[in-house]
Amino acid sequence: MRATIRDVAKVAGVSIATVSKVFNGYSDINQETKEKIFEVAKELDYTPNMAARTLSSKSQQTIALILNEFNFNRKSTMPLEVLNGVYKFTEQSDFEFVFYGTSTEKQESKTFRQFCNEHNITGAVIQGLKMTDPYYYEIQETSLPTVLIDIVMDNPQVGTVSIDSEAASLEAVNYLISRGHQNIGMINGSRDANVSTLRESGYRQALEKNDLLVNESYVQYANFDEDIAFLITKNLLSSHKEITALFCASDIIAIGAMRAARDMGKKVPEDLSIIGFDDIVLASYVTPTLTSVAQDMETIGFEAAKLLTEIIKDNLEEKINHWIIPHDIHYRESVADVKKDQK
């Protein structure tokens, strides 16, 4: 059970008002008392619940966007698009907006509850959480209003906003099959990413529904890294010369695969068709332009913030806390019909 201010006061042998003054920075408390209260609070794992005080006083409430393993670069602006979406929602609402980056290492040093309490957070939108992260397990039982992007949890205080990654992947691989491809490899992301599991499931379903065998050696993992995808693709295509198409779990992976094909003297799409995922800006500028599953990350960020406020206000109709955002496939030059001599 979570320690309260009353618990700290009792163990420290002081009044609740004294503990409150210490955590609110009042100067009329002597140093010895302050140190004793801080020591007890640490032993009891107590942090002042600023978010609860904010709610009870009906003063300003704060939505935080927490990006795990924050990685913004010129090739992928997706985290920035999510940030922009959350910010746009808070601009038209009564909520304040703050942004934080975190990592697996930081999560191990401070719990999700401690982090949110210390930063005055009323509710949080989180992107990039891995299924092996400490916060992943803690959020399954959290009472703090939270919305995860791409991850579903069985907790009424935790919502999800995502596209249907499984259905989108099924559609993308079906498109490759419709162009005559039967030997289709997959360069996936990370084994501990929920979206990787869903996208691989869609890939497998497409093959099975078209009576095509799933060759386990065709599925490789590149950790959403372009250079790793480059190396894996070269190895995969060297070992399995019969592969005529690749479904990639991200556009960054697809760009690495395109580089590998070119390095091996293969032409895209004449010798190898490639589909990516995310439809980042670069997808329409690479040569050939990349066919990709499109998801609107700004809309996802906006809707995540909107869902979070509904959870905070306990205003969800029928308690539906998983919102699906429509996806699309942008068909470009990186996919062609399989050649007759490849069948």
Side-chain angles (χ1 to χ4, degrees), residues 19 22 68 70 140 146 148 186 189 228:
V19 177
V22 168
N68 189 43
F70 180 56
Q140 293 180 38
T146 305
L148 302 175
M186 179 179 183
I228 295 175

Side-chain angles (χ1 to χ4, degrees), residues 17 22 40 54 83 94 110 134 151 153 194 202 221 250 258 263 295 300 302 315 324 332-333:
V22 168
V40 169
T54 298
L83 188 152
D94 295 328
K110 185 171 294 183
I151 297 178
M153 285 190 179
N194 189 59
Y221 292 84
S250 77
M258 292 172 75
D263 195 62
Q295 52 179 339
I300 287 174
F302 185 95
N315 199 31
I324 301 291
R332 300 193 181 96
E333 300 167 346

Side-chain angles (χ1 to χ4, degrees), residues 63 84-93 95 302 305-306 309:
I63 287 176
N84 200 37
V86 175
Y87 176 73
K88 281 187 175 180
F89 178 83
T90 57
E91 278 288 278
Q92 65 181 41
S93 73
F95 289 82
F302 185 95
K306 182 178 179 181
T309 62

